[in-house]
Amino acid sequence: MTQYTDKDYKKGQPRWCPGCGDHFFLASLHKAMAELGVPPHETAVISGIGCSSRLPYYVSTYAMQTIHGRAAAIATGVKVTNPNLTVWQISGDGDGLAIGGNHFIHALRRNIDLNIILLNNRIYGLTKGQYSPTSPRGFVSKSSPYGTVEDPFRPAELCFGARGKFFARAVATDAPATIEILKAAKQHKGAAVCEILQNCVIFNDGCHDSVYNKEGRKNNAIYVEHGKPLVFGPENEFGLIQEGFGLKVVKIGENGVKLEDILVHDAHCEDDTLQLKLAMMDMQEGFPVALGVIRDVEAPTYNEAVWQQIEDVKAKKPYHNFNELLETNDIWEVK
């Protein structure tokens, strides 16, 4: 078996602003591809339009930058017609959730075997700083000088609402965790959404400051892992328990709370109630930001179902080529 390194997947010189989160993510993607070992000629990277959507130029695989908001549509066609290809879709929060929002939810509903990467910096960077579908209410930008009067999409909520079977989250500057969720997305059969939190250093720097460095994640994030207790904090001194229909942060060892009382993460549970609550936690509400694979549930994939349907129909037909088709009708011989 051929052993690959990240150099086998690198191409070109990235043209992003120094410090842009896209640089961090690209390095992690190269490493994840190498660890997965899928040959470059069996890999395709598809994007739309935006800063992050320049990424196909920097991978030595089949790659295509398409048009604004249409990455999921093109990636769907690539996967259905070439089922043996591993397909990575790269979208920003604007490209993927605004003009591309309809394609996004239907790719999830159909459960097409795509690795959908949503690079979320909560801003339109390429077009110079307009608010995006993930910008918070009140956000001041060039297109909202007095603050937006809209509530944002929360990618996890949109994913779960579209019957998504896989959702994971990582921070662009956290390479080991990013690589792990990318590998998990590839190993999942079906539509796998990875939300990558990243800064736009020019137009929205600091938007993920609470978790953008190692110290911040130690204090403000929780790494979820299937089958492991939901604990967090510098010394794993805090945990999550269920209270009524919600979650509650508790300190282990106080008020009689023991480690055995802490919820254990189940990423494979078909019922997404607790998974969604984890994904929706927010530091402003006193909860940590959940990182890692939050949901990972098996289900039939669209692309496999299409090919199986074709085979089933062919098996029932009395003809298998054009000549046989002609011979199913009356035939006259003209002399």
Side-chain angles (χ1 to χ4, degrees), residues 71-83 85 87 112 114 302 307:
I74 304 300
T76 295
V78 170
K79 184 63 182 181
V80 173
T81 55
N82 302 273
L85 279 179
V87 181
I112 301 160
L114 302 173
Y302 176 88
W307 280 95

Side-chain angles (χ1 to χ4, degrees), residues 248-263:
K248 180 181 179 181
V249 173
V250 294
K251 190 169 185 178
I252 300 168
E254 288 189 356
N255 301 316
V257 175
K258 298 176 290 187
L259 181 61
E260 294 77 21
D261 300 322
I262 303 303
L263 284 171

Side-chain angles (χ1 to χ4, degrees), residues 318-329:
Y319 51 85
H320 303 90
N321 55 51
F322 186 68
N323 285 335
E324 290 181 4
L325 172 62
L326 291 178
E327 291 171 2
T328 59
N329 297 311

Side-chain angles (χ1 to χ4, degrees), residues 53-302:
S53 291
R54 293 191 58 81
L55 190 143
Y57 294 101
Y58 313 131
V59 288
S60 185
T61 66
Y62 289 114
M64 183 179 182
Q65 183 178 30
T66 67
I67 56 178
H68 194 31
R70 303 298 182 252
I74 304 300
T76 295
V78 170
K79 184 63 182 181
V80 173
T81 55
N82 302 273
N84 294 325
L85 279 179
T86 295
V87 181
W88 299 87
Q89 176 199 324
I90 311 296
S91 293
D93 46 295
D95 176 69
L97 301 183
I99 190 172
N102 194 49
H103 296 301
F104 177 80
I105 61 174
H106 289 296
L108 300 183
R109 177 182 65 83
R110 293 175 177 133
N111 200 33
I112 301 160
D113 193 9
L114 302 173
N115 306 312
I116 301 173
I117 310 304
L118 185 68
L119 295 163
N120 186 6
N121 57 17
R122 299 178 177 174
I123 195 75
Y124 279 102
L126 184 69
T127 50
K128 305 300 182 284
Q130 298 87 354
Y131 73 92
S132 84
T134 57
S135 300
R137 176 180 280 270
F139 182 74
V140 175
S141 72
K142 290 183 177 180
S143 56
S144 55
Y146 305 109
T148 70
V149 293
E150 306 173 9
D151 285 323
F153 270 144
R154 293 183 283 190
E157 190 173 35
L158 196 61
C159 175
F160 282 50
R163 305 185 67 179
K165 302 300 182 183
F166 183 102
F167 181 83
R169 184 188 289 129
V171 181
T173 50
D174 186 1
T178 301
I179 292 168
E180 286 307 306
I181 70 165
L182 293 176
K183 289 162 61 178
K186 164 60 182 73
Q187 290 156 0
H188 173 83
K189 290 184 66 175
V193 176
C194 294
E195 180 188 17
I196 308 298
L197 307 181
Q198 65 174 72
N199 281 345
C200 171
V201 293
I202 303 301
F203 298 109
N204 200 18
D205 194 22
C207 65
H208 299 296
D209 260 3
S210 65
V211 292
Y212 217 59
N213 59 44
K214 190 173 183 180
E215 190 64 25
R217 290 190 292 276
K218 185 185 296 186
N219 291 293
N220 302 320
I222 179 170
Y223 286 91
V224 303
E225 186 176 349
H226 177 73
K228 298 291 182 66
L230 292 166
V231 295
F232 64 100
E235 305 297 331
N236 281 336
E237 68 272 32
F238 298 104
L240 297 172
I241 63 171
Q242 189 169 356
E243 183 178 60
F245 291 104
L247 296 175
K248 180 181 179 181
V249 173
V250 294
K251 190 169 185 178
I252 300 168
E254 288 189 356
N255 301 316
V257 175
K258 298 176 290 187
L259 181 61
E260 294 77 21
D261 300 322
I262 303 303
L263 284 171
V264 173
H265 181 46
D266 185 356
H268 304 322
C269 181
E270 181 68 35
D271 187 317
D272 63 15
T273 304
L274 286 177
Q275 297 161 357
L276 180 58
K277 290 186 181 301
L278 285 173
M280 297 291 284
M281 292 190 306
D282 189 285
M283 281 301 302
Q284 294 178 348
E285 299 170 358
F287 287 94
V289 176
L291 304 174
V293 177
I294 296 170
R295 179 168 172 79
D296 184 357
V297 176
E298 292 185 4
T301 66
Y302 176 88

